[in-house]
């Protein structure tokens, strides 16, 4: 067992340094000793999957794993956990590949409002890993550390029992742990409340060796191909001019050239009431007449983003160019919670706007987009919603067709 | 529901812990499972918390001359897991009743005893087994027997500058049997009433010790050897557990009348608690006796 290192006395108005591993990401925090683990996770690291109910140990909403054992995050001061490994519900699985417990809760309707679900998932994960032979009759006692106001518990017990029987002694581990950038909303006021990849300071003076992408699956994956009227040669001209290319990116602004294909920039996005302003860096890894590969990372007070983007242009028979953009985007913090699918839709829209701008730039237009203007909030959202409505109507009509 | 600010220190040695403890307004934090709610509700505002979890010397769980020495940072769940702790079966019987798994992951054995909640299980176990508390301060070390340790609700003989560095439980001997039971509204809640029992049998002689909790401001220990002997006179020396329980039931109401001295609260009246103790005592003393006889015969056949 790892003991924490001793720590010198810290006055009540000072911050204490603490190093944790959260869902596979090493984080270094500096916070007042009275901040609980639940607040540190939610406010300082943006991991709001850990819920907070009573804040005094009764309800179990805040249950997380500490060194593999379930514990109440509201009853731990984060500073006590130096060197500990924390797993939260975010680490358990991800939407396209849920942990068997998450899948089972869904299948058995083990949740209504869902407020207690992270607590039940972490508590039952702990139970099934440490007591794999647990019998159904014992589940109500064993799961008594978490309260539910909605379900009446029966479906929760069904869900856990199902997984217990299916995976006796061999419950899969947390499926979504790896290196991430974690950013919370208090990071601005608390010094060093950033993850290991703290290279991304507000205005980095030095560029990093490389932009490291988190392990695991991206939050969103985009693959859009747009048809451009311009020919491959004209598109090659845009691909050869990074400044021009940047102007085609909606809301983006190139602020500094750092040399050796490194750039610093800003990207602003406005969506409904949300305003995000990312500052960050980008590295062009490959730049040819028909292909550009780049990595970028940025952060906003609402969260962080990292991406690998591949753009390729191919000639289309009969004239014009097909511009394909593939991007793996990793989001963290509040923006990640903003809805994976909506974020995906919005990003796709942005690439389509980008493609149109590239087309205009290739055709020789001076100002392909109004560089620093955030992409029209309304137009983006309206287009996204229109897409949704169309898809929905399509689904309705095809279902109708089946019935007939 | 946030704790008021406090100074924080995490010493690496017992000497540093007790030096810090001698400062006015200092409190030890072990598992925090009782302390943090108190701080969150601002029922307590210590000036400084001394986190003892970095002290290697306090993390020991070892056999020591027929006794199990449990260091101050040994968590309840570790005590449930490690084979060495099986030498003190009564602790293992009681632990599943202490809060929930999630609470036992962090809560310590010593912290529960230092906290001295009148409804807590482990103080009663310590009292029943006549465990020894080791108190350490800058003035030195002293040992206090469990019978003298608890002085009232959430109160012990430990001075503010003293650390409960270890609790020493005697390891069970052949011919000893144990019982533990409690009644709470929901599993994991503090008990309305509960009992811990140790029975010793040896060549026809029996002695039985019953410790009740949740019924007074401290654990209450009663010698029930006489009641057990009276019941055995009816049933013979090798009764089935249900038969012995029925025979004991004639005697336990009298025991409960003595043991329960709480004024009652909104959760349960004194009368209800007496009935609970009476039933639990008959059930657990009979269980302890049967397992003591089994242990005795196993020893003999060895
Ligand atoms: C939901 C919930 C349910 C619970 N149910 C039960 C239950 O059914 N039964 C039960 O017994 N307990 C219950 N508890 C309390 C739990 O068992 C605590 O773990 C235990 O009482 C305290 O241990 P700790 O290590 O967490 O101590 P802490 O909370 O760290 O400390 C408690 C107090 O003891 C002092 N202290 C701790 N260690 C030492 C030491 N070594 N020397 C001197 N002073 C020390 C502290 O200064 C503090 O005043 C429950 C808690 C919760 C949150
Ligand atoms: S919020 Fe932690 S137990 Fe209720
Ligand atoms: S689903 Fe609503 S509290 Fe459990």
């Amino acid at each position: 067992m790892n003991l924490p290192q001793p720590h010198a006395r810290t006055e009540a108005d000072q911050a204490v340094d603490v190093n944790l591993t959260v869902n596979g990401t090493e984080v270094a925090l500096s916070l007042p000793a009275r901040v609980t683990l639940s607040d540190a996770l939610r406010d300082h690291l943006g991991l709001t999957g850990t819920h907070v109910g009573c804040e005094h140990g009764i309800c179990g909403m805040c249950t997380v794993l500490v060194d593999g054992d379930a514990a109440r995050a509201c009853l731990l001061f984060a500073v006590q956990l130096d060197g500990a490994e924390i797993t939260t519900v975010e680490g358990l699985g991800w939407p396209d590949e849920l942990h068997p417990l998450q899948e089972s809760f869904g299948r058995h309707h083990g949740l209504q409002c869902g407020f207690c679900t992270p607590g039940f998932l972490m508590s039952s994960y702990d139970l099934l890993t440490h007591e794999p032979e647990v019998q159904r009759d014992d589940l109500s006692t064993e799961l008594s550390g978490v309260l539910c106001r909605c379900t009446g518990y029966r479906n929760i017990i069904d869900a856990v029992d199902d997984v217990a029987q299916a995976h006796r002694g061999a419950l899969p581990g947390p499926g979504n742990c790896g290196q991430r950038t974690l950013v919370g909303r208090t990071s601005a006021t608390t010094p060093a409340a950033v993850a290991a990849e703290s290279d991304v300071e507000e205005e980095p003076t030095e560029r990093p060796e490389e932009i490291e992408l988190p392990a695991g699956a991206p939050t969103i994956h985009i693959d859009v191909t747009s048809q451009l009227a311009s020919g491959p040669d004209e598109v090659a001209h845009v691909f050869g001019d990074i400044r021009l290319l940047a102007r085609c990116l909606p809301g983006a602004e190139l602020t500094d050239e750092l040399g050796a294909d490194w750039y610093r920039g800003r990207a602003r996005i406005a969506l409904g009431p949300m305003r995000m302003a990312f500052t960050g860096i980008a590295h062009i890894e490959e730049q040819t007449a028909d292909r550009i590969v780049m990595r970028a990372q940025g952060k906003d007070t609402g969260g962080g983003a990292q991406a690998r983007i591949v753009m390729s242009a191919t000639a289309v028979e009969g004239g014009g160019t097909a511009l394909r953009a593939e991007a793996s985007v990793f989001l963290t913090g509040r923006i990640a919670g903003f809805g994976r699918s909506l974020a995906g839709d919005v990003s796709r829209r942005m690439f389509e706007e980008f493609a149109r701008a590239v087309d205009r730039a290739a055709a020789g237009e001076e100002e392909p987009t109004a560089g620093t203007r955030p992409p029209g909030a309304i137009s983006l959202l309206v287009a996204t919603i229109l897409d949704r409505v169309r898809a929905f109507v399509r689904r309705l009509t095809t279902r109708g067709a089946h019935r007939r | 529901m946030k704790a008021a600010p406090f100074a924080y220190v995490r010493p690496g040695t017992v000497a540093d812990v007790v030096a810090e403890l001698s400062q006015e307004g200092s409190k030890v934090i072990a598992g925090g499972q009782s302390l943090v709610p108190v701080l969150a509700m601002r029922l307590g505002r210590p000036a400084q918390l001394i986190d003892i979890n970095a002290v290697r010397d306090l993390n020991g769980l070892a056999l020591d001359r027929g006794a199990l020495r449990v260091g101050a940072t040994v968590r309840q769940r570790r005590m449930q897991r490690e084979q060495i702790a099986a030498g003190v079966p009564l602790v293992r019987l009681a632990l599943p009743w202490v809060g929930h798994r999630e609470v036992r992951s962090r809560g310590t054995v010593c912290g529960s005893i230092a906290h001295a909640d009148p409804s807590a299980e482990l103080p009663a176990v310590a009292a029943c087994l006549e465990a020894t508390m080791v108190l350490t301060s800058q003035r030195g070390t002293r040992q206090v027997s469990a019978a003298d340790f608890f002085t009232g609700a959430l109160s012990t003989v430990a001075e503010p500058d003293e650390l409960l560095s270890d609790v020493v439980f005697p390891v069970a001997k052949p011919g000893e049997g144990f019982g533990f039971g409690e009644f709470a509204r929901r599993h994991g809640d503090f008990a309305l009433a509960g009992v811990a029992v140790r029975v010793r049998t040896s060549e026809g002689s029996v002695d039985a010790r019953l410790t009740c909790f949740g019924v007074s401001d401290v654990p209450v220990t009663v010698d029930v050897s006489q009641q057990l002997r009276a019941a055995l006179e009816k049933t013979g020396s090798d009764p089935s557990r249900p038969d012995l329980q029925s025979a004991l039931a004639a005697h336990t109401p009298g025991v409960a009348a003595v043991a329960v001295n709480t004024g009652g609260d909104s959760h349960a009246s004194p009368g209800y608690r007496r009935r609970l103790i009476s039933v639990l005592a008959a059930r657990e003393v009979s269980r302890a006796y049967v397992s003591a006889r089994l242990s005795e015969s196993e020893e003999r056949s060895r």
Side-chain angles (χ1 to χ4, degrees):
Chain A
M1 205 193 93
N2 281 337
L3 296 187
Q5 292 298 313
H7 195 289
R9 181 185 156 96
T10 310
E11 294 305 327
D13 55 357
Q14 287 172 354
V16 184
D17 292 333
V18 56
N19 293 298
L20 307 168
T21 306
V22 181
N23 298 333
T25 300
E26 286 173 22
V27 295
L29 295 172
S30 178
L31 17 87
R34 65 168 170 152
V35 175
T36 58
L37 175 63
S38 44
D39 284 348
L41 290 170
R42 294 176 56 84
D43 299 344
H44 296 259
L45 298 172
L47 294 170
T48 51
T50 299
H51 291 171
V52 169
C54 66
E55 291 195 296
H56 64 283
I58 303 300
C59 69
M61 297 303 107
C62 61
T63 306
V64 299
L65 303 182
V66 177
D67 292 328
D69 287 344
R72 291 173 167 5
C74 74
L75 292 189
L76 294 166
F77 293 120
V79 297
Q80 289 194 277
L81 297 167
D82 195 42
E85 272 192 40
I86 314 294
T87 310
T88 69
V89 70
E90 285 93 342
L92 209 53
W94 53 287
D96 288 347
E97 201 170 320
L98 295 175
H99 188 272
L101 278 166
Q102 293 172 310
E103 194 275 329
S104 185
F105 269 66
R107 190 155 33 85
H108 287 279
H109 195 53
L111 60 150
Q112 286 177 26
C113 77
F115 192 67
C116 67
T117 315
F120 269 109
L121 287 169
M122 301 322 284
S123 177
S124 49
Y125 179 85
D126 167 82
L127 177 67
L128 300 190
T129 44
H130 292 108
E131 283 155 59
E133 297 307 322
V134 68
Q135 297 302 307
R136 186 188 171 88
D137 283 352
D138 298 324
L139 287 178
S140 57
T141 300
E142 288 297 338
L143 295 175
S144 62
V146 188
L147 301 181
C148 175
R149 284 291 179 230
C150 305
T151 62
Y153 300 101
R154 280 170 194 270
N155 293 353
I156 292 175
I157 290 185
D158 288 346
V160 176
D161 187 38
D162 209 1
V163 179
Q165 295 193 32
H167 297 274
R168 290 255 183 246
L171 186 70
N176 195 27
C177 290
Q179 197 63 33
R180 298 280 145 77
T181 306
L182 301 174
V183 190
R185 61 194 133 102
T186 15
S187 59
T189 50
T190 313
V194 254
E197 284 160 280
S198 51
D199 310 315
V200 213
E201 294 300 350
E202 285 301 319
E203 284 293 326
T205 45
E206 299 260 317
R207 60 176 176 77
E209 287 282 297
E210 62 170 335
I211 294 173
E212 217 177 297
L213 294 180
T219 323
I220 40 184
H221 184 81
I222 298 147
D223 188 349
V224 215
T225 304
S226 309
Q227 301 300 328
L228 309 188
S230 317
D233 290 349
E234 291 141 342
V235 173
H237 163 68
V238 183
F239 270 27
D241 182 348
I242 293 297
R243 290 202 159 266
L244 183 57
L245 194 71
R247 284 217 301 279
C248 297
L249 269 169
E253 187 186 359
L254 218 157
T255 56
D256 209 354
E257 288 184 36
L258 305 172
D261 295 321
W262 283 82
Y263 299 89
R264 183 154 46 221
R266 271 200 285 270
R268 291 192 288 156
I269 297 171
L271 271 179
M274 293 192 297
R275 298 281 179 280
M276 282 171 281
F278 288 92
T279 54
I281 46 172
H283 179 216
I284 310 288
E285 297 180 334
E286 194 186 318
Q287 183 179 16
T288 64
D290 59 358
R291 193 174 138 94
I292 289 182
V293 180
M294 63 184 279
R295 286 184 188 215
Q297 72 179 17
K299 75 169 188 179
D300 167 79
T301 47
Q306 286 157 290
R308 179 171 188 272
I309 305 166
V310 180
M311 287 180 277
S312 50
T314 37
V316 174
E317 242 179 88
T321 314
L323 178 66
R324 180 173 179 198
E326 284 176 82
S328 300
V329 185
F330 299 82
L331 297 178
T332 48
R334 273 182 296 152
I335 51 166
F338 137 80
R340 204 174 65 100
S341 54
L342 191 59
D345 290 347
V346 168
S347 318
R348 210 165 297 118
R349 281 277 153 213
M350 287 175 63
F351 273 106
E352 284 165 12
E353 249 189 50
F354 165 75
R356 278 193 292 278
V358 170
D359 211 2
R360 288 199 296 277
E365 266 182 48
E366 274 297 297
E367 277 298 323
T369 58
T372 58
R373 186 177 52 93
I378 297 186
S379 68
L380 265 181
L381 207 57
V382 166
T384 303
I385 290 168
L386 270 180
D387 269 2
R388 291 268 167 110
V389 171
R390 275 189 218 113
F392 182 65
V393 170
R394 244 193 333 268
R395 267 207 311 276
L396 280 184
T397 47
T398 47
R399 243 190 253 161
H402 283 308
R403 234 179 263 142
R404 256 181 259 135
Chain B
M1 297 300 287
K2 312 284 181 201
F6 50 81
Y8 175 79
V9 62
R10 192 166 62 224
T13 64
V14 174
D16 289 348
V17 168
V18 295
E20 294 289 351
L21 252 185
S22 67
Q23 313 262 341
E24 186 76 18
S26 292
K27 267 268 166 210
V28 164
I29 182 165
Q33 303 300 291
S34 293
L35 184 58
V36 178
V38 167
L39 301 182
M41 290 188 266
R42 307 248 171 144
L43 296 171
R45 295 178 80 140
Q48 159 167 282
L49 286 194
I50 305 162
D51 185 348
I52 60 175
N53 289 287
V55 183
R56 193 162 294 278
D57 287 347
L58 293 177
N59 197 31
L61 178 61
L63 290 177
D64 177 7
R65 279 165 284 152
L68 183 69
R69 183 174 281 270
V70 183
T73 62
V74 173
R75 305 200 191 284
Q76 293 153 7
R77 229 174 149 187
R78 178 172 164 210
M79 193 81 173
Q80 284 183 288
R81 283 179 182 154
E82 284 196 23
Q83 186 50 36
I84 197 170
V88 189
L90 188 56
V91 173
R92 298 271 272 237
L93 286 178
L95 279 169
W97 297 95
V98 180
H100 313 272
R101 239 178 329 119
E102 298 88 337
V103 173
R104 296 191 297 270
S105 293
R106 301 299 301 184
T108 63
V109 174
C110 290
S112 174
I113 290 170
H115 191 58
D117 190 298
S119 300
E121 292 81 2
L122 297 178
V125 167
C128 185
L129 294 180
E130 302 169 271
T132 304
M133 319 298 167
V134 183
L135 294 170
T136 306
S137 70
Q138 280 190 312
R139 290 165 281 128
T141 293
R142 62 179 177 134
Q143 304 205 340
V144 182
S145 79
D148 302 327
F149 187 72
F150 303 101
T151 55
L154 309 183
S155 314
T156 68
V157 298
E159 298 290 338
D161 67 342
E162 282 182 312
L163 172 74
L164 178 59
S165 46
D166 310 83
V167 175
V168 184
F169 293 98
V171 166
K173 293 192 231 358
E176 289 187 350
F178 304 90
F180 187 93
E182 70 173 50
F183 185 83
R185 292 247 182 251
R186 293 176 316 150
H187 183 89
D189 280 6
F190 278 103
L192 295 181
V195 298
V197 179
R198 183 191 67 198
V199 170
R200 283 178 171 156
T201 60
S202 150
E203 324 214 325
S205 83
V206 289
D207 90 43
R209 213 174 137 82
L210 170 79
T211 302
C212 308
F213 58 98
V215 298
S216 177
D217 59 347
V218 291
V220 180
T221 303
V222 190
D223 185 328
V224 291
S225 309
Q226 228 185 325
Q227 287 83 351
L228 177 56
R229 276 181 223 124
L232 287 169
E233 269 170 31
K234 282 232 170 102
T235 61
S237 62
D238 262 321
S240 73
R241 198 166 71 76
D243 286 350
L244 182 57
Q245 183 175 341
S246 307
L248 273 165
H251 304 280
T252 49
V255 176
V258 179
V260 177
N261 68 13
T262 170
D265 53 25
S266 56
H267 301 291
S269 66
Y272 180 49
R273 283 189 157 96
R274 268 183 216 112
R275 286 185 48 194
L276 288 172
I277 289 292
S278 172
V279 172
L280 288 166
R283 195 181 78 194
E284 298 308 323
V285 172
S286 57
R287 186 198 309 276
Y289 176 79
V290 170
S291 81
R293 290 284 289 179
L294 191 68
S295 145
E296 202 188 349
S297 67
E298 273 171 4
E299 178 67 11
R300 232 183 282 124
S301 65
R302 216 174 268 165

